[in-house]
Amino acid sequence: MGPRSDCRPTDAEFEIVDIADFNLPILDEAYPAAYQNDHTKAFSAKIAEFDGYIFIVAEYNHSISGALKNALDYPNVEFNNKAAGFVSYGSKSGARAVEHLRGIASELQLAHVRNQVMFSIFTDVENFTTFKPTEQSSAALDPMRDQLLLWTRAMEFARSEALVTAG
């Protein structure tokens, strides 16, 4: 049976994974995804637990942060054939960061959904300190999440043994 089109948020569990909790140094493996260091093993194991991802990304210098890029360089196959959605923020609502993140996601074989959520630091963050999203910005969450849930199910099927052996 193929992926269901009636995915609802109640069908999914969400967990926040903060890359800061893993204290990842600048990539220190002999080669990417070498899995020699304990921090690499721990972070990769955490990433492997999930079928889909929502990346929350800030825009720095028209791109993603160095910390996020560094973290994405550690795992490899853990992201393959899974789905990703994006929530971004910045002076241009983080749009340019997501453009760069989409290229990285493609290289990691992450199927990224079209819909995204973008927050402006000028209209969605009061006095640059208190997150108060506008109704318009907040309204983008449900369509992105719904599309992500559907794609997550589709990619789960794509990773299934039946499909792998049929190919």
Side-chain angles (χ1 to χ4, degrees):
M1 180 163 89
R4 292 178 16 203
S5 62
D6 62 341
C7 298
R8 294 290 164 244
T10 55
D11 295 339
E13 294 180 25
F14 297 89
E15 178 181 336
I16 294 174
V17 176
D18 187 342
I19 58 175
D21 294 341
F22 292 87
N23 198 27
L24 298 170
I26 298 298
L27 185 62
D28 61 348
E29 294 289 347
Y31 54 90
Y35 305 101
Q36 296 173 329
N37 297 309
D38 289 340
H39 54 264
T40 304
K41 293 173 188 173
F43 185 62
S44 296
K46 176 52 79 176
I47 294 305
E49 291 177 17
F50 306 104
D51 293 319
Y53 309 90
I54 297 175
F55 290 93
I56 300 173
V57 57
E59 184 173 315
Y60 292 100
N61 295 326
H62 294 215
S63 190
I64 64 173
S65 70
L68 177 57
K69 176 61 172 89
N70 183 59
L72 292 173
D73 286 342
Y74 273 93
N76 188 344
V77 297
E78 293 80 6
F79 285 123
N80 292 177
N81 297 318
K82 295 182 179 179
F86 305 107
V87 174
S88 61
Y89 61 96
S91 61
K92 297 291 184 191
S93 301
R96 298 171 295 203
V98 171
E99 286 179 20
H100 288 188
L101 189 51
R102 285 184 188 281
I104 295 165
S106 294
E107 182 62 25
L108 295 171
Q109 298 182 50
L110 272 167
H112 41 96
V113 300
R114 177 197 167 276
N115 293 331
Q116 71 186 65
V117 182
M118 299 184 294
F119 296 106
S120 169
I121 60 171
F122 300 114
T123 59
D124 296 302
V125 182
E126 186 177 88
N127 297 321
F128 301 101
T129 58
T130 306
F131 182 58
K132 289 192 174 183
T134 63
E135 188 175 322
Q136 180 180 1
S137 296
S138 296
L141 179 60
D142 288 342
M144 184 276 293
R145 184 194 55 218
D146 291 347
Q147 189 178 36
L148 177 62
L149 291 173
L150 180 65
W151 282 36
T152 296
R153 289 246 169 108
M155 295 312 292
E156 186 176 31
F157 178 73
R159 293 189 314 276
S160 73
E161 189 62 34
L163 190 62
V164 171
T165 56

